[in-house]
Structures are given as structure tokens and as C-alpha cells.
Amino acid sequence: PWNEAGEAARLVAFVVCQTPAGHPAGAERPDLRSYLRNRLPDYMTPAQVLQVAELPRTQNGKLDRAWKGRVAV
């Protein structure tokens, strides 16, 4: 699949968890990607796993889906 800019689409996972030493918020988590790679089919494995402090919510408490487009990866 391709995105609006004509680039190949990538699956990016955002995780919220306590920050272990050496993994600041916003850091890529290759350890989680490796874990998922060993348990999921290739097409379901994210190209990148990013740890974030929290997922933004709308005023109704739902996930703000527009947020994902504002993340530079």
C-alpha cells in the first residue's frame, strides 16, 4: 500500500509503558520490535516501535486519530 505522498506505507507501533532506564519517551524500542517479530507474521510486524508518554485523547476520551499524522518518524 501507498500513502498520499506516493511513498510505501509503513506500520508504526506506539506503546505506552513505564520508561525503563535507557529508553526515554519517544525512543525507538528495538527490543519490543524483536519480540513482536518472533511472534507475528511479517506483514503484521511494525517497521518501527516508538515509546510515547501517553496517547492523546479527544474531549470525549477517545483516541485522537489525527495525532498519528503529526508524528515525525
Side-chain angles (χ1 to χ4, degrees), residues 5-20:
E7 302 165 333
R10 300 181 324 158
L11 180 61
V12 178
F14 295 95
V15 296
V16 178
C17 59
Q18 292 181 341
T19 305

Side-chain angles (χ1 to χ4, degrees), residues 45-69:
T45 303
Q48 199 170 18
V49 177
L50 296 175
Q51 181 175 325
V52 294
E54 63 182 17
L55 295 174
R57 306 241 176 226
T58 64
Q59 289 181 339
N60 294 332
K62 296 180 180 179
L63 181 64
D64 183 1
R65 293 181 181 268
W67 171 79
K68 68 181 183 303

